[in-house]
Amino acid sequence: EKMAAGAAGGASWRMGAAERRGRGAETLFRGLLFCVLGCGFCWGNSVERKIYIPLNKTAPCVRLLNATHQIGCQSSMNGDTGVIHVVEKDQDLKWVLTDGPHPPYMVLLEGELFTRELMLQLKGSSRISGLAVAISKPSPAQGFSPGLKCPNDGFGVYSNDYGPQYAHCNGTVWNPLGNGLAYEDFNFPIFLLEDANETQVIKQCYHDHNLPQNGSVPEYPLCAMQLFAHMHAVTNTVTCMRRSSLQTAFSLNPEEVCDALSDYNVWSTLKPINASSKIDPMDEVVIVATRIDSHSFFWNVAPGAESAVASFVTHLAAAEALHKVPDVKTLPRNIMFTFFQGETFDYIGSSRMVYDMEIDKFPIRLDNIYSFLELSQVALRDSSVLWVHTDPVSLRNESIQPQVKTLVEALMTSSVGANVSLQEVNQSQPLPPSSFQRFLRAKHIPGVVLADHRSSFQNRYYQSMYDTAENILMKYPEGLSPEETLDYVTDTAKSLAEVATVVARALYQLAGGTSNTSAIQADPRTVSRMLYGFLIKTNNSWFQSIIKQDLKGLLGDELPQHYIAVTQLVNTTQLVQYVLANLTGTVVNFTKEECLNPEKTPNPEKEMYVYTWAQGSRDPNSTSRVPFCIRSTVHLSKAASPAFELKQWGSTEYSTWTESRWKDIRARIFLVASKELEIITLVVGIAILILSLLATYFINAKAHVLFSSSGDAGAVAY
């Protein structure tokens, strides 16, 4: 019995040992597998970095949509890839369009060749998979404007019912250099290369691998580029908004495909008003307005120096000059300083303000408007001449004509002694594209538009990536530090300060002021600071001192851009808001708690004022800042088209512009092998995978043999 029990125990021990060996082999195999997978995960990024060179400083062309069309660009869902070919002259196009043996091609195009004619050639070819545009430095001498010859056509005041002879820019082509390129639809991705160093890396890769030598075909591997910019929206705004609304209504995780272009207008008044109620119907208000947005072919590349920045900086300087006048609070009429957002896209901001005034959702009604003064493009004056544009149709109204005459006379009087020569445009010419036109659509209002052009724009880079500080002739001496550059008064700043002075004096007269206006003077140093901040570097000491501490992300070292986008409160809007508050507000002796919660203080007049806790300048004796509280009359109002409020996505009355959503936008270059080598690599990889699976199966099945040891044989008896 003992011998039988011992034999049974030995057998049981041997079976347990076998099981342990099996489990040990399995554990060892799993450990090796996890080790391999872990190493592969760790090495994956390293391998990718060795294969691909990412292009980090690029700007894509994205898809925009309105009630009837889609414009812009997009890639396929997984990005588009092509062999790089550099096009430096027109003759280089033949290789990519007909001769090259390795289509499709990614074209690296020099900036001066980025024209409508060339782009339409590429658009019609199936041999093109994408385009990278190298920014031209200096800017093209012949000018470049991808906008329309008749900006915002169909959304201004002139139509078949109002001045039909002026509709569709009949008689006056405002933007003759406009080639409409930004309003074309391309079925391949187009990226802007903003960094000259990255452009040189691509060219070097092309010269090393792709450049044909002595007429011979280049051999693999070839330098290729991959662009990712797949857009979710298609067809038009009606289609994309309908799809988004269906997703929102029926899906637990809705994926909207487009968003309306929207943001906020900035406005303030010379004398405080209750922003949550209506002013008295008998009160009169003089409105001075300008736009704060721009656009170009590429997403969020909108420097807008002449088309927007110069005019709203002049506007801000005029507001500061007026607030310094001692008797402004006693003037018979109020003055409203208005900065419209989204005007590039069929007057989004101004049309929304007019709409809100009409339905009593704004404290000022259309009937309260005494007169309207708009600053259009004002930086490129020829011989210091500033042109006064009026509406020839409303001038026929007997009640409007004398009020317009009074407005023009105030401007003329204010220009005496200033280095600004004001001249009236012939009354047979219509208004240029302007926000004032949206107000005229609603009501006959006396008003003028000031511009540096008599007819066609002086700006040769309207709605272009080249509408930069250089376009308005901003020049700085070499060797200046950032602080010295910030405070350096350029000739452009002096010129715009003169325009601001004329505007401020005229507004004072229009508001009923009777005192001598010679003391009203805009500050060239303030103008220079604003130009530097809005065109060259937002992250400067002045901007840092006037914003809230939690908004430091507004300031960056990149060149400032002024595209409306779809996010709430874009950088330009917020910076204009805080600059206006700083220039026109009053520093009050409030603590941080009182400033952030003014209703807790006695007589805060919270409905009349807005309080802002600014982080202040740095203390000269320490690294800390000296914060302060500003009380101002600066407010925000929606700059979202009424078409989306009314869900009239196919509207012809209001702007219907939307921006497509996307998941991934990036660009990279790498060396691509021939198709034959890729197929061979794939086949070999599959073969290795099958062999690995067979080997794994064999090892696992024979684990008890492969992992057995001599010590396991025999039984142990006791």
Side-chain angles (χ1 to χ4, degrees), residues 501-575:
T501 297
V502 171
V503 170
R505 292 174 180 177
L507 290 171
Y508 177 79
Q509 294 180 50
L510 291 170
T514 56
S515 301
N516 191 323
T517 61
S518 60
I520 301 177
Q521 187 74 43
D523 185 2
R525 180 171 174 268
T526 301
V527 174
S528 189
R529 284 182 152 203
M530 288 190 286
L531 289 174
Y532 179 81
F534 285 111
L535 287 175
I536 296 175
K537 189 177 182 181
T538 56
N539 192 16
N540 60 74
S541 59
W542 185 46
F543 277 13
Q544 290 170 8
S545 68
I546 63 176
I547 65 170
K548 296 179 180 178
Q549 186 175 10
D550 57 351
L551 294 177
K552 290 184 288 187
L554 283 177
L555 309 180
D557 293 325
E558 302 293 331
L559 289 175
Q561 308 298 339
H562 308 291
Y563 173 62
I564 178 175
V566 296
T567 57
Q568 299 301 304
L569 278 176
V570 297
N571 289 8
T572 302
T573 303
Q574 295 187 74
L575 289 174

Side-chain angles (χ1 to χ4, degrees), residues 137-447:
K137 293 184 179 181
S139 302
Q142 71 276 15
F144 175 75
S145 173
L148 299 172
K149 293 183 183 295
C150 188
N152 291 356
D153 185 24
F155 290 87
V157 68
Y158 302 112
S159 64
N160 293 334
D161 301 322
Y162 188 100
Q165 67 272 33
Y166 307 122
H168 311 299
C169 295
N170 285 337
T172 305
V173 178
W174 296 109
N175 185 30
L177 291 177
N179 57 33
L181 194 59
Y183 294 83
E184 289 286 337
D185 183 37
F186 295 92
N187 60 358
F188 52 77
I190 304 176
F191 278 53
L192 176 67
L193 302 175
E194 299 181 281
D195 186 354
N197 292 328
E198 288 189 344
T199 303
Q200 190 56 43
V201 168
I202 299 171
K203 288 184 176 181
Q204 188 61 51
C205 186
Y206 164 78
H207 283 287
D208 290 345
H209 300 278
N210 298 9
L211 187 64
Q213 299 292 339
N214 301 321
S216 62
V217 175
E219 299 290 337
Y220 283 101
L222 297 173
C223 191
M225 182 183 294
Q226 191 171 27
L227 302 179
F228 297 85
H230 180 67
M231 301 289 126
H232 295 174
V234 294
T235 310
N236 53 41
T237 289
V238 177
T239 302
C240 81
M241 290 301 293
R242 184 179 66 246
R243 290 177 178 175
S244 293
S245 62
L246 288 173
Q247 282 276 339
T248 304
F250 298 107
S251 176
L252 294 176
N253 297 301
E255 292 187 8
E256 298 183 8
V257 295
C258 67
D259 300 282
L261 295 181
S262 62
D263 194 51
Y264 285 85
N265 298 319
V266 182
W267 64 276
S268 73
T269 52
L270 192 62
K271 295 184 286 186
I273 64 173
N274 190 331
S276 61
S277 63
K278 308 293 179 294
I279 67 172
D280 190 281
M282 301 303 295
D283 289 347
E284 294 180 323
V285 178
V286 179
I287 292 183
V288 55
T290 190
R291 66 175 59 188
I292 59 175
D293 69 296
S294 187
H295 177 47
S296 79
F297 185 88
F298 298 99
W299 182 75
N300 204 30
V301 178
E306 160 72 339
S307 62
V309 176
S311 56
F312 75 68
V313 162
T314 303
H315 188 169
L316 288 165
E320 180 194 34
L322 269 173
H323 274 267
K324 291 179 179 178
V325 179
D327 65 340
V328 290
K329 295 293 190 290
T330 62
L331 294 175
R333 302 182 187 94
N334 208 341
I335 299 175
M336 177 177 166
F337 306 98
T338 314
F339 301 82
F340 291 121
Q341 180 64 276
E343 296 301 273
T344 304
F345 295 96
D346 299 336
Y347 307 118
I348 293 174
S350 56
S351 64
R352 180 53 184 261
M353 183 171 284
V354 171
Y355 173 78
D356 287 343
M357 288 180 173
E358 289 178 319
I359 62 173
D360 286 340
K361 284 191 175 181
F362 197 79
I364 296 171
R365 302 176 179 88
L366 288 170
D367 291 336
N368 293 120
I369 301 176
Y370 174 76
S371 59
F372 196 105
L373 172 59
E374 180 170 352
L375 291 170
S376 185
Q377 302 177 78
V378 295
L380 298 176
R381 289 181 290 143
D382 187 9
S383 302
S384 298
V385 175
L386 203 60
W387 295 94
V388 181
H389 296 260
T390 56
D391 172 39
V393 178
S394 60
L395 281 176
R396 299 171 193 160
N397 187 309
E398 293 182 357
S399 63
I400 296 295
Q401 187 178 29
Q403 296 180 67
V404 174
K405 185 177 180 181
T406 301
L407 175 52
V408 174
E409 287 176 351
L411 286 165
M412 295 295 183
T413 303
S414 301
S415 67
V416 175
N419 189 26
V420 178
S421 175
L422 287 178
Q423 295 187 25
E424 284 189 79
V425 173
N426 191 307
Q427 292 185 1
S428 63
Q429 181 176 291
L431 288 169
S434 53
S435 306
F436 179 43
Q437 292 198 31
R438 291 300 304 192
F439 284 80
L440 284 176
R441 282 178 75 125
K443 187 178 186 296
H444 281 303
I445 296 172

